[in-house]
């Protein structure tokens, strides 16, 4: 018997050339091949009569061949072969093109199953073109259809997988028997055989359930083990809690939620094992102050802290905020981003290594190899969803098991946070600072655009500032990487020479030089710009309380959560703010979707709607999350299975954290395989 982990080349008929084509499809071992699941199935189990079969969709018809094959040359190189089939009541034509072998394969008077689309030729006369067919007494029910690659077709995969299944013997199981019994799961052997060659529709759905469960279970076991693994001893325990002292530095009183989060974190940081926590809170809930309290505690207890933000703009802003918070305390703050000059960089790196700088704020520039700390005890990552798991880890590895806090403003449905943040403890800021007013939101048609702008003008004339967020242009086209810039420049030019002539307008887009961005943001924050025309670069974290009005063009092109994030740029002071969403799409569903933003400011509710409407892509990003690829990603929305697997994994690891014992060999092997890209478990 062949090992399931054997190389694909061990299979008969797989030479070097085929192996290369298979490898391109991600298939290197027999196990990879067996995990290459059908895209869909041709259902031969439900055979129609000619009269009752639906038109224009793939169906299976049971009928006798009722005539000889007629050969007809249409033109040079194009010959049709057609014949009639009948089920005893109706007659239908079947036609093949340039396929002279059908005649010899089909026998007049015998019964077959024909699989294909039926079209009508008028006057009740129906026809099927190039159907697949098998003898009526064959046992085939659901025939797998595999994703094609340019070099390998579905039939090739079907044959190869059938041959592999014939060679491997019983496929070992990776889900322990106790878990299988608890959740009534079929064995892996049954599941793999049935997902490729279903014995019945029922067994197929059981197989799919088992395979979904397996994939999520492996993921959850992997994440739980990461969590356990990170519980090493740390040298950075808080000897004394300085939170009270920090509060006295603040110009405001902390909310109850902020206090609770700080208490969660300081407890972690005093425990002797590294904190590994996610701080989740809607935009404007005050995550920065929480992180500042921890930084203060870390520095007062004698170790360094680092804060990493995803963009230059945010890093600058944090730098300013922390410098303000800590002025007069003797805490030294440094900044390290792409736009810092080489000379300054060198100085800052020296001061970090010597311990002269207590807190470094920056972009991913601070995880570069040559950045060395004297004693990094706390690593904070802001807007975590913008970074992958690996980048998050990179900051942590700059110290000897430092405490890590990741902050995210993207409210994530619980289901998904169990997946994305399965390795973290979670604190939630579910309370807004007092005096904060809800931002009024209106969805308006494009023809009200002028009125919306008039409203903006009124606010500017009263001394406030505003944002206009640029329409999203179709950027699927990689040939046109500049479209973001073009769209914003166009709008900026239109407005500065038109409706907002004489006002102080600013322009901000992603591809701008870091220095320019910095300059524009500084001017906006200082009140030297009235109206900022921007793309979604302002989405994360930007904090200018005097900006109280925002117009978002082509709002229908954005996801709800993204709109919610954008909207969070206003309503940051104690004045009532307004957000106007412009859409020229008359479609009722679109209006209803945007209407959710009119009716609620609860980020979690909005996130749930987004998950329902758009799937998980918006939350985990396609490439950035750093988690292993899940083949059946639609399962991410299968909250039931996510929860089941989460609890099953926790229960298993609680009793046996190291997964000792022979019955767990397969499980460990598969988990390691899943996390093999940079996340290997011991
Ligand atoms: P986010 O959670 O989106 O990162 P920030 O930390 O940027 O939010 O806080 C948003 C604004 O609220 C900032 O201007 C901050 O100074 C202010 N803020 C934070 N906490 C409080 C509080 N407890 N009371 C009043 N204002 C606060
Ligand atoms: Mg923030």
């Amino acid at each position: 018997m062949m090992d399931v982990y054997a190389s694909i080349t061990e299979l008969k008929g797989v030479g070097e050339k085929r192996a290369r084509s298979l490898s391109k499809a991600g298939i290197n071992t027999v196990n990879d091949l067996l995990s290459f699941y059908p895209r869909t199935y041709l259902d031969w189990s439900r055979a129609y009569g000619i009269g009752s079969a639906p038109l224009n969709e793939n169906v299976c018809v049971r009928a006798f061949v009722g005539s000889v094959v007629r050969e007809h040359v249409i033109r040079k190189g194009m010959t049709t072969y057609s014949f009639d089939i009948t089920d005893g009541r109706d007659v239908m034509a079947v036609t093949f093109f340039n396929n002279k072998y059908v005649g010899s394969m089909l026998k007049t008077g015998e019964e077959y199953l024909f699989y294909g689309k039926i079209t009508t030729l008028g006057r009740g006369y129906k026809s099927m073109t190039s159907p697949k067919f098998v003898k009526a007494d064959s046992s085939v029910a659901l025939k797998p259809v595999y994703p094609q690659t340019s070099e390998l077709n579905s039939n090739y995969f079907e044959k190869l997988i059938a041959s592999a299944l014939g060679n491997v013997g019983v496929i070992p199981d990776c889900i322990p028997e106790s878990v299988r019994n608890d959740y009534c799961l079929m064995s892996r052997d049954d599941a793999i055989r049935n997902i490729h060659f279903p014995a019945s529709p029922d067994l197929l759905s059981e197989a799919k359930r088992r395979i979904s469960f397996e994939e999520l279970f492996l993921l959850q076991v992997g994440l739980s083990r990461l969590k356990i693994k990170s519980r090493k001893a740390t040298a950075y325990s808080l000897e004394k809690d300085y939170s009270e002292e920090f509060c006295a530095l603040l110009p405001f009183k902390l909310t109850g939620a902020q206090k609770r989060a700080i208490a969660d974190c300081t407890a972690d940081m005093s425990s002797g094992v590294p904190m590994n926590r996610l701080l989740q809170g809607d935009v404007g809930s005050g995550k920065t102050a929480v992180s500042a309290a921890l930084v203060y505690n870390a520095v007062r207890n004698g170790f360094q802290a680092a804060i990493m933000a995803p963009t230059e703009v945010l890093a600058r802003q944090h730098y300013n905020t922390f410098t303000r918070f800590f002025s007069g305390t003797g805490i030294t703050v440094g900044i390290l981003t792409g736009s810092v000059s080489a000379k300054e960089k060198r100085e800052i790196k020296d001061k970090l290594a010597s311990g002269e700088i207590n807190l470094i704020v920056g972009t991913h520039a601070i995880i570069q190899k040559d950045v060395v700390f004297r004693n990094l005890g706390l690593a904070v990552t802001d807007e975590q969803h913008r970074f992958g798991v690996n980048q998050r880890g990179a900051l942590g590895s700059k110290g000897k098991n430092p405490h890590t806090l990741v902050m995210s403003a993207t409210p994530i449905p619980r289901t998904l946070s169990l997946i994305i943040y399965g390795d973290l403890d979670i604190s939630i800021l579910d309370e807004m600072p007092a005096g904060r007013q809800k931002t009024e939101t209106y969805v308006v048609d494009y023809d009200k655009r002028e009125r919306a702008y008039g409203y903006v003008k009124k606010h500017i004339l009263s001394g406030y500032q505003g944002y206009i967020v640029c329409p999203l242009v179709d950027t699927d086209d990689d040939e046109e990487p500049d479209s973001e810039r073009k769209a914003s420049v166009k709008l900026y030019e239109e407005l500065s020479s038109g409706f907002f002539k004489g006002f102080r307008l600013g322009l901000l887009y992603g591809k701008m030089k870091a220095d320019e961005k910095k300059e524009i943001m500084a001017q906006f924050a200082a009140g030297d710009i009235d109206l900022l025309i921007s793309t979604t670069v302002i989405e994360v974290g930007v904090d200018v309380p005097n900006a109280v009005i925002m117009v978002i063009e082509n709002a229908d092109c954005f996801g709800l959560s993204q709109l919610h994030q954008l909207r969070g740029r206003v309503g940051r002071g104690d004045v009532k703010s307004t957000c106007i969403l412009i859409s020229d799409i008359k479609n009722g569903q679109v209006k209803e979707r945007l209407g959710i933003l009119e009716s609620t400011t609860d980020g979690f509710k909005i996130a749930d709607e987004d998950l329902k409407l758009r799937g998980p892509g918006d939350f985990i990003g396609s490439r950035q999350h750093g988690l292993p690829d899940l083949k059946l990603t639609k399962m991410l929305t299968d909250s039931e299975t996510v929860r089941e697997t989460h609890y099953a994994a926790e229960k298993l690891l609680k009793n046996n954290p190291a997964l000792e014992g022979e019955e767990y060999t397969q499980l460990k092997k598969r988990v390691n395989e899943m996390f093999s890209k940079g996340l290997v478990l011991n």
Side-chain angles (χ1 to χ4, degrees), residues 284 287-288 314 317-318 382-383 407 409 540-542 569 572:
K287 295 183 292 293
T288 315
L314 253 191
Q317 186 181 285
H318 277 329
D382 194 15
E383 305 300 345
M407 308 199 285
V540 275
V542 171
R569 298 310 107 223
R572 299 176 83 83

Side-chain angles (χ1 to χ4, degrees), residues 199-248:
S200 73
D202 282 348
L203 285 170
L204 173 60
S205 66
E206 279 304 302
K208 282 185 177 166
R209 188 171 81 87
R210 146 81 206 208
I211 287 168
S212 296
F213 191 99
E214 175 179 308
E215 215 161 42
L216 285 171
F217 181 69
L218 294 175
L219 181 64
Q220 293 292 348
V221 169
L223 290 170
S224 300
R225 290 199 71 199
L226 278 180
K227 197 165 164 177
I228 292 168
K229 206 183 146 192
S230 68
R231 287 198 189 118
K232 293 174 185 157
T234 177
Y236 307 110
S237 266
L238 299 184
E239 299 290 325
K240 186 168 170 229
D241 188 341
Y242 289 88
S243 301
E244 292 287 327
E245 202 176 295
F246 170 76
C247 286

Side-chain angles (χ1 to χ4, degrees), residues 438-495:
K438 275 193 180 158
T439 298
E440 290 282 353
T441 302
Y442 304 98
V443 180
V444 303
D445 285 332
Y446 189 77
D447 53 23
K448 301 243 171 51
R449 188 168 171 239
E450 289 259 312
R451 266 178 70 184
Y453 284 172
Y455 200 59
V456 173
K457 206 181 247 177
K458 213 177 91 191
H459 279 83
I460 295 176
L461 290 171
S462 314
Y464 295 110
Q465 292 161 281
Y467 299 96
I468 294 185
V469 180
C470 235
L472 251 198
V473 267
D474 220 337
T475 49
D476 282 354
D477 187 4
D478 284 340
E479 303 289 292
E480 181 68 291
D482 225 15
S483 44
E484 183 226 8
R485 181 185 66 84
K486 279 190 189 142
S488 52
V489 171
K490 188 163 158 256
L491 187 67
Y492 174 78
E493 282 169 358
E494 178 199 332
L495 294 179

